[in-house]
Amino acid sequence: MRKVLFLLLISFFALQSCSVESEVIFHKNNTSTTMVDIDMKDAIVVLKSRIADSSQTKKTGIEDLEKIPKNWTSVYKFNKEIKKLKIEGSDSIKIMKKIFLKSNFDKDEMTGFSLKMDHFSKGDYQSARQLSKNYQLPIDQQAMNSWDGKTLTIDTGELTLNGIKNILTNKEFTSTQAQTSLEYVKMMYKKISTTLRFEKKIKSITGKHDWITKTDDYSLKINYDLSYLFSKENDRKPLLNADEKIIVVTE
């Protein structure tokens, strides 16, 4: 699994004009579902044109992208049946069976792929975080915020792209490769955002942050300022609103 997800992630990190849209749905029973959609339509066109006359196709990772099923398929099944990998450990298997992926298409053209972590409990996320140390799972940090079925506490200190940076500092990268990939992320992403959606109506919100807005009675939107996140701390323009905690209470 590590190699598969590693290739998938690097594929879209190294591509141009990608957008990443995440959604975390907070359920009444203290669990949440995280979905990540990677829009790579323009990037795939560019990549295919670049490798048309190249013998380096396999190194781009596009072959792995094209093997992703069109319907939601568990990462466990994908790795066992498609990649023929041996997966060990009951805890790892349990989590892999709750993580799903699928490819997205516009007519016959692949536009990207989606990942879903379905009805994860706090314990599931903790297990996934441990698993991520070895398998590089792209967990949206917002799913790790404190949620008790009624109140969500957002730690704005975690409004970062550390998940991306951690993957790029994987030991399989040289320092030069990691730095080059970070520069691609900085220059080529069009947009990275996360929607926080609740099953129950929002009753109150305490605290403010420039990147967080209420979009309706059930949702908040986080739009990451990529220029801010990838600039040096001394060069950053101070945020107007940057409370350390945002507390959302639902009915």
Side-chain angles (χ1 to χ4, degrees), residues 81-98:
E81 297 185 1
I82 300 177
K83 302 304 293 183
K84 307 298 183 182
L85 298 181
K86 183 179 180 181
I87 303 172
E88 299 179 346
S90 58
D91 290 341
S92 296
I93 292 173
K94 176 185 175 182
I95 294 300
M96 289 181 189
K97 286 183 175 180
K98 296 182 69 173

Side-chain angles (χ1 to χ4, degrees), residues 104-143:
N104 300 319
F105 283 78
D106 180 6
K107 296 181 180 180
D108 295 327
E109 294 294 326
M110 185 178 182
T111 60
F113 67 96
S114 299
L115 196 76
K116 176 170 66 174
M117 298 181 182
D118 195 28
H119 282 77
F120 266 41
S121 66
K122 186 177 295 184
D124 289 334
Y125 281 118
Q126 292 298 333
S127 296
R129 172 175 273 181
Q130 290 299 315
L131 190 65
S132 183
K133 292 180 180 180
N134 295 319
Y135 293 96
Q136 305 306 319
L137 298 176
I139 303 173
D140 192 308
Q141 184 61 40
Q142 297 314 304

